[in-house]
Amino acid sequence: MNEREEAGRIGEALAAMRRERGLSQAEAGSRIGMTSQGWSLYEAGRRAGIFRPDVQRRLTQALDATPEDLALRLDGGSPDPADTTSNGGLSSKGRDFDHRPARPSPPLAPVQPETVMFRMGSDDMAPWAFADTVIEYDPDRLPREGGGCVLELKDGRRLVGLFVRLTDRQVVVADAHSRNVTLSPANVRRVCAVVARHDT
């Protein structure tokens, strides 16, 4: 694989990680002082700097991730090469002297938070999200400034916006046209971070 193809693979993995987190190119770029055009050049694999460890660290930091997460994504979560019982591997009971030593049990994986999904009913947040876009959010995670959020209101409704701030006196979100909407915390049950948007 040549350098251009490899840069394209890295860019595609970066784009997939960004989409999983429900961020636009502009939102991801703004977290590290970069324009959406600059970010898009990295995702397109058109910037040679994408191979530099410090650049990868900066890009993945905008996604609350690490260069190691990006590398795992590129590997496609390849199985442990020492594990010969997975699909495509060899397995044999063998004789006593053929047995491998027992591998230590891996540590328990952290419990992944449960997310909530719902379908947008209007184009009010276009172009950030359209009617029929499925919004996935984490009820136990607060959004970052400028990131997508869902406000679960006490009357049972959900309000989708871009998070501005949360204080004792107000909850402020912006719509897709950067107009602020202010609510009283008394009317808001929970402020939740959007973790992904799924276009149908």
Side-chain angles (χ1 to χ4, degrees), residues 131-143:
D132 290 333
T133 298
V134 174
I135 301 293
E136 183 177 359
Y137 67 93
D138 182 346
D140 298 319
R141 181 170 151 197
L142 281 174

Side-chain angles (χ1 to χ4, degrees), residues 20-35:
E20 285 174 356
R21 287 154 175 79
L23 296 171
S24 68
Q25 291 178 336
E27 291 166 342
S30 69
R31 290 181 170 193
I32 53 173
M34 182 184 294
T35 65

Side-chain angles (χ1 to χ4, degrees), residues 41-128:
L41 288 173
Y42 281 112
E43 287 191 359
R46 292 172 50 201
R47 281 198 169 173
I50 199 163
F51 293 107
R52 289 175 34 195
D54 59 316
V55 171
Q56 289 186 8
R57 191 174 308 110
R58 186 170 173 232
L59 293 169
T60 55
Q61 182 180 13
L63 305 177
D64 297 324
T66 66
E68 290 75 20
D69 296 326
L70 183 62
L72 282 172
R73 167 69 81 158
L74 284 167
D75 288 342
S78 32
D80 180 350
D83 184 1
T84 58
T85 62
S86 60
N87 289 341
L90 299 174
S91 179
S92 172
K93 290 185 180 178
R95 296 178 296 245
D96 286 343
F97 57 85
D98 287 333
H99 286 289
R100 289 180 299 165
R103 292 169 58 196
S105 299
L108 293 175
V111 176
Q112 295 298 316
E114 289 194 24
T115 58
V116 177
M117 300 174 96
F118 76 98
R119 189 177 302 276
M120 293 285 290
S122 72
D123 288 329
D124 291 345
M125 284 299 292
W128 186 81

Side-chain angles (χ1 to χ4, degrees), residues 166-183:
L166 169 65
T167 69
D168 292 340
R169 296 184 178 172
Q170 57 183 1
V171 180
V172 183
V173 296
D175 65 16
H177 305 289
S178 301
R179 295 179 298 228
N180 284 354
V181 177
T182 304
L183 292 92

